[in-house]
Amino acid sequence: MSASAERVTIKDVAARAGVSKGAVSLAFNHKPGVSEATRERIFAAARELGWAPSATARSLSSQRVDIIGLALCRPARLLGLEPFYMDFISGIESVLAERSCSLLLRLVRDLDEEAAVYKEWWRGRMIAGAILVDFREDDPRLSSLPPLGMPAVAVGHPSLTGPFPAVWTDDASAVAEAVRYLAALGHRRIARVGGPADLGHSAIRARAFTATTRELGLEEARQIATGFDEKEGARATRSLLLTAERPTAIVYDNDIMAVAGAGVAAEMGFTVPDDLSLLAWDDSQLCQITHPAMSAMSHDVHHFGAEVARVLFDVINGSDTVGHQAPTPSLIPRGSTAPAPGTQTP
């Protein structure tokens, strides 16, 4: 009799995948001993047969939480370089460690793959809940993930995150503070080097930047969208400094691009901050060890990650939560910003 005509067992999954029952157990319990390719083959066989490990299912039904999922649509190289996600994940891990839980992390190529990964994890009873990040405007996950019934918390402004409880910072107010600070130093030509234009928080920052520069009567503000890495930050800075009406101040959407921008300015013969003021988003040790030290919009990213994990556990445990607004990033002036060239100071 075929496996489809009777209750599917772990033995059937092992036979379909061409492995031992022990390998299936290792794969579903996230234990070492099977390669990633074998693990994926086992999961595919389980999906084809409609099988899920009953022990994990019982674990979840009794409200035992062991594993939280996080899929990131970011290049692996950038993830290793960008301090934000390292601090963010360490904050999540600090809360998981208190509860003897683990984080299941996967890097994906696009949002379709991300949605497929979450569906696989949830239907395979591999995770108890998920953390969703990097929301786009009109994000496809808002329609594809809710039908799963998977507990999830969204990192992003509630205007972007649909039905998911959100944890967010007030990016618009932080951008306005950065622009007002530079304008108070006499800067009239302020530019912004931002992240990908389709990211929701990049769009929020872009709108706030434009609105504040217009409100203050500054010159037409130029903004360049990038992929967040140092090469694109350097390229954007070079482009801005080669224009006839070059900016006297630049705001960057992360610390890596700001430090790369400082290197380009030096290469082109500009002195920071005498000729050009620079300001970074997401303060980090990178900002502090650069010479001159980088002015930055700062918030406690570790604490932010911990708060995201706490909200997720509230959701998993059935608490009535709509999310949480974290403190707005605050301005930390350092040596990379100064009065605009030619500005008279008291």
Side-chain angles (χ1 to χ4, degrees):
M1 183 179 293
S2 68
S4 61
E6 59 185 19
R7 187 174 67 86
V8 178
T9 68
I10 189 173
K11 181 179 179 181
D12 300 315
V13 175
R16 175 67 66 92
V19 298
S20 67
K21 291 191 297 182
V24 176
S25 178
L26 289 173
F28 274 92
N29 286 288
H30 312 290
K31 302 293 186 182
V34 293
S35 68
E36 187 61 28
T38 300
R39 193 185 306 273
E40 291 298 332
R41 191 167 73 251
I42 291 169
F43 291 159
R47 286 196 302 272
E48 291 168 6
L49 295 172
W51 180 85
S54 59
T56 308
R58 286 195 302 270
S59 162
L60 292 177
S61 66
S62 64
Q63 298 300 310
R64 178 183 168 201
V65 177
D66 291 320
I67 299 173
I68 299 301
L70 172 60
L72 290 176
C73 190
R74 292 284 181 108
R77 178 178 173 277
L78 179 60
L79 186 66
L81 291 173
E82 192 171 30
F84 174 87
Y85 266 114
M86 295 298 98
D87 287 345
F88 178 69
I89 291 173
S90 74
I92 294 171
E93 288 280 13
S94 70
V95 173
L96 298 187
E98 295 170 359
R99 293 165 168 80
S100 299
C101 298
S102 301
L103 181 67
L104 179 57
L105 176 65
R106 175 81 66 84
L107 300 184
V108 297
R109 291 164 294 186
D110 52 44
L111 294 183
D112 288 339
E113 183 181 357
E114 179 178 330
V117 164
Y118 282 127
K119 289 176 182 178
E120 174 187 309
W121 285 351
W122 180 245
R123 289 171 177 169
R125 303 295 192 267
M126 297 166 62
I127 60 173
I131 295 170
L132 311 176
V133 300
D134 286 342
F135 275 80
R136 276 68 169 171
E137 296 186 309
D138 301 319
D139 197 292
R141 291 171 294 181
L142 299 185
S143 59
S144 64
L145 294 183
L148 294 177
M150 176 181 68
V153 62
V155 179
H157 192 273
S159 65
L160 302 166
T161 58
F164 299 109
V167 181
W168 75 98
T169 57
D170 186 353
D171 284 8
S173 294
V175 167
E177 181 182 0
V179 174
R180 291 181 186 281
Y181 163 70
L182 293 170
L185 291 176
H187 294 277
R188 306 292 298 172
R189 294 192 302 275
I190 305 172
R192 173 177 168 267
V193 176
D198 64 337
L199 279 182
H201 67 262
S202 292
I204 289 172
R205 294 179 190 182
R207 288 192 292 266
F209 187 86
T210 297
T212 306
T213 54
R214 288 177 178 173
E215 175 191 333
L216 297 175
L218 304 180
E219 295 185 23
E220 185 71 23
R222 186 177 175 192
Q223 302 186 64
I224 298 179
T226 73
F228 280 131
D229 68 28
E230 76 279 7
K231 290 182 180 178
E232 293 195 47
R235 188 180 302 116
T237 303
R238 189 172 291 107
S239 174
L240 290 169
L241 296 182
L242 286 172
T243 58
E245 295 296 318
R246 66 173 181 81
T248 61
I250 305 176
V251 179
Y252 295 85
D253 262 21
N254 72 3
D255 43 6
I256 294 176
M257 295 194 298
V259 172
V264 169
E267 166 198 308
M268 296 178 68
F270 296 105
T271 301
V272 176
D274 296 341
D275 303 319
L276 176 69
S277 286
L278 305 178
L279 191 151
W281 203 280
D282 292 331
D283 187 26
S284 68
Q285 287 190 344
L286 192 59
C287 291
Q288 297 166 33
I289 64 175
T290 302
H291 182 75
M294 192 70 62
S295 295
M297 302 305 298
S298 175
H299 63 121
D300 190 338
V301 178
H302 179 92
H303 179 80
F304 183 72
E307 186 61 25
V308 168
R310 293 189 189 100
V311 171
L312 178 56
F313 280 110
D314 287 343
V315 175
I316 292 171
N317 293 326
S319 300
D320 186 15
T321 179
V322 294
H324 174 73
Q325 180 175 343
T328 302
S330 57
L331 175 68
I332 299 182
R334 295 196 181 101
S336 68
T337 50
T343 301
Q344 296 295 320
T345 57

